Amino acid sequence: MATTAVCRERSGMSEPGPEPGWFVGLLLRRRGVVLLVALLLMVLAGVAGRDAGDKLVSGAYLDPSAESQQAAELLTHQFPGGPPNLVLIVAPSTGTVDSPDATRSGRELTEQLAETPGVAGVQSYWTTPDPSLRAADDRSALIALQLTGGEHAAQETAGRIIANLEEASSGLRVSPTGPAAVGLAVDEQAEKDLVSAEMVTLPITLLVLLLVFGSAIAAGLPLLVGAGAVVGTMAVLGLIADATTMSSYALNLTTALGFGLAVDYSLFLVTRFREERRAGRSVESSVVIAVRTAGRTVVFSAVTVALSLSALLLFPMPFLRSLGFAGIAVTALAAVTAVVVVPALLALVGHRLDRVDLFAPIRRRITRRRADVGEERQTWPRIAAVVMRRPVLILVSVSAVLIVLLLPFAGVRFGLLDHRTLPAEQPVAEAAEQLARDFPAAAEDQIAVVLPSVNGAGAGGDDLEDYAARLSALPGVSKVETATGQYADGQSTGPTGQEAASLSARYTAPAGTWLAVTPSAADPAGARDVVSEIRDQPAPGDVLVGGSAATLVDATDTIADRLPLALAVIALSTFVLLFLFTGSLLIPLKAIVTNLLSLSATFGALVYVFQEGNLRWLVGDFTPTGTLETTLPVLVFCIAFGLSMDYEVFLLSRITEAHRNGASTTEAVAQGLQRTGGLITAAAAILVTVFVALAASNLTALKVIGVGLTLAVVLDATIIRGLLVPAIMRLAGEANWWAPAPLRRLHSRLGLTD
């Protein structure tokens, strides 16, 4: 049929086409100039964004304005004896830590570290009379360092120290751990895993593109679109990074989402172009119709995806905001590049698009005719027929499966990233486990209570003692240590002599004092309750509560406070845009409900796997922590919701088009499923290839993202878009298109119709 269309065009028999309009007319008349300008802009963007990666920072998971982070900043800058963010486990090659050689080497190493730029304070077993810094077997001891600056600066300092340890620690074996070392190791592992993932996924993706698009020329289109979107986004990220903190993970999202959406958008345009060509239209007419229909859908889909990702900007964590900026930029650029470059290239190559079909023999053998993505194959018509005949059975069955999957989500518990996100055999993770095993007192996860206006050694000391005693009597508190001594159960166990001097040096500063509160249990939920109790207690001055438990409280509270607004933005924008797209009230509501149900099922599966530690044989080994990291569900939700709406718009575009052309709702739904079933499956296959590579990471955090997005895409592209949505629309019948008269008039004026 395609050959017949080409012959008609060459003989002047092609059907008259629609008027192109100024935009498509420009693409057709000046296709060469358009492509040249696009290439020039890509080069300029590449030059502008070449150093964007250097401006991005690692970490940035926490809200810098949170109380716990303000406490951490004060502890770092004013209290050299405050909680360390880099811990070195030091063991002599021979003998004990008290041997003359070990003592000399330990003191020398301590002095070198104290003089290192970026080090605010050092506590060493060899210079501090603290038995908690020595292991019970006398074979190892600790050097604890407090590093200045924020999260990123501390990691940079830790990196320099760790790199020089072998040279600086003659005769000693040194194993680094602590928050800064863990953060550094996580970033290094993430970079390594992502490079490995790209090396594996690139050839697989190229193969899938060739299978999906059917020709080498067509398969190259999404690569051009993706490259343009990614390069342009790099330039945008560089500009944003000059004004605000941007996480380095924005680069990873840019690459994955950029090429994934490029495949979606290019595939939709090429599919419609081929469909019109098979109907006997000329190349130019096919381009015009493809842009007016598929191009319009691409732009609309990009708006919905960008609005879903814009919800990430509502959270103050730089990590989430960075991914929001990156996602919005790459989505917008992928859409613009697709609707400009792809039509111009289609007009340029014309009937030569399918000249090189490397898989034509395989296609003929499998399908007995040349197949094309989106063409009415036998599989999707059969599925459509089953759904149209048995909508109630399909609805009940699919809903039951999703409800079973979401049940574990009721028991979700949130936590923070720690060394357990690393592979168990990673040196920093092994050192963290050794720290907890051999130095239980030093490894205690204490809550830091900072009083910047109270001097524990001077005025206000009596009030401080009373305050410390009251804190030690709180439920869930084991002890409280201050500049004036230790307190337990409301009673003082005051220090004497040298111990008193050590406590005063650690807990006091010219600008205030701080208290170390040790929870009586390691349970994170219990520690969070203690934080809340401390914040409710009257104090002798201003109080800032810090530590990991307080950080978790602040993170979960911040997300809980902003989440309703984020959900409202996503739901309202989705509802309005789908109404403008379809003129219906039921269809937008159905889209929101089905997407929420699908994503809830995804989160239930994440809890079952990563929180409870099941199916490690399937997703790869990891260390279960009994929690999910606080920001990951928000990130997965916003990305997955946007991609779900991407597929929803693809399906609705063909259903709506068929209904406007006179088909009944049942016929329109069947036609839409037949026309887009293969297209959505093919687009999802590319995204799954990328996300599965993330799931294969050695980092648990990346595994969660990869598994979550993979499952969300698979569920959405199969049982949601292929079964649940068509079944609901079949049952609703003509009610799908209902809207009150005033809204119908509004849609007639503002609706996004051809």
Side-chain angles (χ1 to χ4, degrees):
M1 186 176 293
T3 304
T4 303
V6 173
C7 293
R8 285 179 180 173
E9 181 180 353
R10 289 177 176 174
S11 61
M13 297 173 59
S14 57
E15 300 177 5
E19 290 296 323
W22 72 267
F23 176 70
V24 185
L26 177 65
L27 295 180
L28 293 174
R29 293 191 306 271
R30 299 288 186 265
R31 64 195 73 168
V33 175
V34 169
L35 293 175
L36 184 61
V37 170
L39 179 61
L40 179 61
L41 290 176
M42 188 184 302
V43 172
L44 292 175
V47 173
R50 66 186 184 280
D51 60 345
D54 297 334
K55 300 178 181 179
L56 308 183
V57 303
S58 57
Y61 304 110
L62 307 173
D63 176 11
S65 65
E67 179 181 329
S68 56
Q69 300 313 297
Q70 295 178 38
E73 185 175 354
L74 280 175
L75 285 168
T76 298
H77 290 93
Q78 297 186 19
F79 298 92
N85 41 14
L86 177 62
V87 179
L88 305 179
I89 303 176
V90 183
S93 301
T94 58
T96 68
V97 294
D98 294 315
S99 67
D101 289 342
T103 300
R104 183 181 63 255
S105 297
R107 287 177 176 172
E108 290 176 355
L109 177 59
T110 302
E111 292 171 359
Q112 292 181 39
L113 292 172
E115 296 173 356
T116 303
V119 175
V122 179
Q123 291 178 280
S124 170
Y125 168 70
W126 290 280
T127 60
T128 303
D130 188 346
S132 68
L133 300 178
R134 182 182 62 192
D137 62 1
D138 295 335
R139 302 292 301 177
S140 59
L142 298 183
I143 300 178
L145 295 89
Q146 194 177 45
L147 309 180
T148 60
E151 188 178 9
H152 179 60
Q155 288 184 20
E156 287 188 335
T157 303
R160 294 195 305 270
I161 291 173
I162 293 171
N164 296 325
L165 277 178
E166 185 175 353
E167 179 181 348
S169 56
S170 176
L172 301 172
R173 297 191 307 273
V174 183
S175 302
T177 188
V182 169
L184 185 66
V186 166
D187 288 339
E188 291 175 350
Q189 186 69 53
E191 184 177 354
K192 185 187 303 182
D193 287 352
L194 290 169
V195 169
S196 300
E198 290 172 359
M199 295 297 292
V200 172
T201 57
L202 182 59
I204 296 175
T205 301
L206 290 174
L207 179 62
V208 174
L209 284 173
L210 288 171
L211 285 168
V212 168
F213 283 87
S215 74
I217 297 175
L221 294 179
L223 296 180
L224 288 174
V225 173
V230 170
V231 170
T233 303
M234 292 289 288
V236 173
L237 293 181
L239 293 175
I240 298 176
D242 290 333
T244 187
T245 301
M246 292 289 290
S247 169
S248 57
Y249 285 100
L251 298 178
N252 309 129
L253 179 66
T254 295
T255 303
L257 198 58
F259 280 101
L261 292 176
V263 170
D264 285 0
Y265 299 158
S266 302
L267 182 57
F268 206 54
L269 285 160
V270 171
T271 296
R272 191 56 185 257
F273 172 80
R274 284 170 165 169
E275 184 179 316
E276 298 303 323
R277 290 286 290 149
R278 285 194 298 272
R281 297 187 184 278
S282 67
V283 169
E284 291 193 353
S285 295
S286 298
V287 170
V288 172
I289 295 175
V291 174
R292 283 188 174 179
T293 56
R296 165 179 163 270
T297 302
V298 164
V299 172
F300 182 82
S301 173
V303 172
T304 59
V305 174
L307 285 173
S308 294
L309 291 170
S310 70
L312 293 173
L313 303 181
L314 299 174
F315 297 93
M317 293 81 163
F319 170 69
L320 292 179
R321 292 172 62 88
S322 299
L323 297 183
F325 284 126
I328 293 170
V330 78
T331 300
L333 288 171
V336 171
T337 306
V339 298
V340 172
V341 173
V342 172
L345 282 170
L346 290 176
L348 185 66
V349 300
H351 59 272
R352 297 185 297 277
L353 178 68
D354 296 320
R355 177 167 293 178
V356 182
D357 187 352
L358 303 178
F359 297 94
I362 300 176
R363 295 175 188 279
R364 285 192 294 268
R365 187 178 300 113
I366 294 176
T367 64
R368 297 184 180 180
R369 64 181 175 85
R370 183 155 181 210
D372 188 13
V373 175
E375 192 175 347
E376 295 185 10
R377 303 181 184 179
Q378 295 300 314
T379 301
W380 287 104
R382 284 201 301 268
I383 293 175
V386 171
V387 174
M388 295 302 102
R389 286 197 306 268
R390 300 285 189 272
V392 175
L393 178 62
I394 296 296
L395 176 62
V396 172
S397 301
V398 172
S399 299
V401 171
L402 295 176
I403 290 172
V404 169
L405 286 176
L406 71 82
L407 287 177
F409 189 56
V412 65
R413 295 185 299 275
F414 295 107
L416 299 174
L417 286 178
D418 59 24
H419 68 276
R420 290 171 294 181
T421 194
L422 292 163
E425 66 276 7
Q426 214 277 348
V428 171
E430 290 181 337
E433 292 295 325
Q434 182 184 353
L435 180 68
R437 182 180 64 251
D438 296 344
F439 304 89
E444 288 176 338
D445 193 5
Q446 296 176 323
I447 299 168
V449 181
V450 184
L451 297 96
S453 61
V454 177
N455 191 326
D462 292 339
D463 291 338
L464 179 64
E465 291 181 13
D466 177 66
Y467 179 61
R470 282 190 286 109
L471 294 186
S472 70
L474 291 175
V477 174
S478 172
K479 65 178 180 179
V480 175
E481 189 171 85
T482 75
T484 57
Q486 291 187 358
Y487 298 80
D489 296 325
Q491 301 297 319
S492 171
T493 57
T496 59
Q498 195 173 19
E499 185 182 1
S502 175
L503 288 176
S504 179
R506 181 182 183 190
Y507 290 106
T508 61
T513 188
W514 71 284
L515 298 75
V517 179
T518 303
S520 56
D523 178 30
R528 292 197 297 271
D529 292 339
V530 172
V531 170
S532 300
E533 289 284 348
I534 293 173
R535 287 176 171 172
D536 290 339
Q537 292 294 313
D542 295 333
V543 174
L544 296 172
V545 182
S548 61
T551 299
L552 179 57
V553 169
D554 290 343
T556 52
D557 286 351
T558 298
I559 290 177
D561 290 344
R562 304 295 179 93
L563 189 58
L565 179 59
L567 294 177
V569 168
I570 293 174
L572 182 61
S573 60
T574 298
F575 192 92
V576 171
L577 287 173
L578 286 184
F579 167 74
L580 294 175
F581 191 60
T582 63
S584 164
L585 293 185
L586 181 62
I587 288 176
L589 181 62
K590 177 267 305 173
I592 294 171
V593 172
T594 55
N595 281 357
L596 289 177
L597 182 60
S598 172
L599 290 174
S600 297
T602 298
F603 292 145
L606 292 180
V607 170
Y608 180 76
V609 174
F610 293 100
Q611 179 176 300
E612 300 177 4
N614 298 300
L615 300 180
R616 278 183 279 178
W617 60 269
L618 179 62
V619 303
D621 195 24
F622 61 91
T623 303
T625 62
T627 62
L628 288 182
E629 203 280 330
T630 52
T631 60
L632 296 185
V634 175
L635 176 63
V636 171
F637 179 88
C638 291
I639 296 176
F641 194 95
L643 294 175
S644 297
M645 291 308 303
D646 196 33
Y647 298 146
E648 177 83 9
V649 169
F650 285 177
L651 176 60
L652 286 178
S653 66
R654 300 311 296 263
I655 294 175
T656 304
E657 181 181 346
H659 189 263
R660 286 172 179 160
N661 289 335
S664 67
T665 298
T666 300
E667 293 170 341
V669 171
Q671 289 180 30
L673 185 57
Q674 293 169 14
R675 294 289 185 181
T676 63
L679 184 154
I680 291 174
T681 302
I686 301 292
L687 281 175
V688 166
T689 301
V690 175
F691 295 148
V692 165
L694 283 180
S697 170
N698 290 306
L699 287 176
T700 304
L702 286 181
K703 277 186 180 295
V704 172
I705 296 173
V707 171
L709 292 178
T710 297
L711 184 58
V713 169
V714 170
L715 285 176
D716 195 80
T718 54
I719 66 175
I720 301 298
R721 231 48 65 189
L723 299 175
L724 186 60
V725 169
I728 293 174
M729 296 190 71
R730 166 68 176 84
L731 290 171
E734 292 303 313
N736 281 295
W737 317 103
W738 177 85
L743 291 181
R744 287 199 302 271
R745 290 192 294 270
L746 177 65
H747 181 264
S748 65
R749 293 195 301 269
L750 304 178
L752 303 173
T753 57
D754 294 338

